[in-house]
Amino acid sequence: MIKTTGFYHQSIPKGVAAIQKLGRENGFDVDVTKDAEDFNTQNLKQYAAVIFMSTTGTLFNNEQREAFKKYIQSGGGFVGVHAAADTEYEWPWYNKLVGAWFLNHPPQQVAKLIVKDRNHKSTRHLPEIWERKDEWYNYKDINPNIKPLILLDETSYKGGANGDFHPIAWYHEFEGGRAFYTGLGHTDESYEEPLFLQHLLGGIQYAMGVNKKK
């Protein structure tokens, strides 16, 4: 899903192309839509996971929300990339699914990321301390049930607002389905970065239920 009703991220086409390439290389098909009408019970049945690529604002009407909710509750997977946390502020269920809502962000800059869980598909290839440049979100309404994968070291950059516990990537099982979120991926360069692409692939595979393991 690439629908935006708020800020439009210029990196969305790069992200879509990168995921399509990951699909070709790893044996899964990728459909792309910005049409919320595709979120109906019959259509969603064919997908192992849905990916929100920097979506923003309100995406769905009540009927579409209910279809998406049933999809997750039937074992579907969800991947949220970057501004997926800047989405559906009027829908508390979505907040719990994605894991947090966007609060604000400082200017893009280099920061140190602490890889807290290196056993997950999305992080096992990463160094314990990962230094990179991106747009670092601060969050509000963080779901206490998420399982943090990567934390931001707020002492390594300016503008952090979440303190010692500042998750930037996480996963959790949710109402019968699986959800993965990464706050990385604002910049065009992210989608040519091998470490990030492997991180994203691992999150997609987790959401799809590949091997039914982390």
Side-chain angles (χ1 to χ4, degrees), residues 6 8 131 168 196:
Y8 177 80
E131 193 167 331
I168 196 67
F196 172 73

Side-chain angles (χ1 to χ4, degrees), residues 10 19 33 37-38 79 128 132 145 157 163 166 180 182 188:
Q10 297 298 325
I19 292 173
T33 186
E37 291 186 5
D38 288 336
V79 174
E128 292 182 14
R132 65 186 299 277
N145 295 318
Y157 72 104
H166 189 152
F180 168 85
T182 180
D188 287 358

Side-chain angles (χ1 to χ4, degrees), residues 119-204:
N119 294 314
H120 193 270
K121 290 177 184 291
S122 67
T123 52
R124 59 181 55 146
H125 66 292
L126 294 175
E128 292 182 14
I129 302 296
W130 185 18
E131 193 167 331
R132 65 186 299 277
K133 182 179 181 180
D134 214 321
E135 181 178 78
W136 305 116
Y137 277 8
N138 295 309
Y139 298 100
K140 62 182 180 178
D141 299 324
I142 298 174
N143 183 340
N145 295 318
I146 62 170
K147 297 181 179 180
L149 293 165
I150 305 174
L151 303 178
L152 274 176
D153 178 358
E154 289 196 356
T155 68
S156 69
Y157 72 104
K158 295 181 179 179
N162 287 118
D164 291 339
F165 181 70
H166 189 152
I168 196 67
W170 56 78
Y171 75 101
H172 62 140
E173 294 184 0
F174 182 74
E175 293 192 2
R178 298 163 305 280
F180 168 85
Y181 171 83
T182 180
L184 287 58
H186 172 86
T187 65
D188 287 358
E189 293 78 9
S190 296
Y191 299 99
E192 298 175 355
E193 182 185 344
L195 289 180
F196 172 73
L197 290 172
Q198 187 64 35
H199 169 63
L200 182 57
L201 173 63
I204 293 169

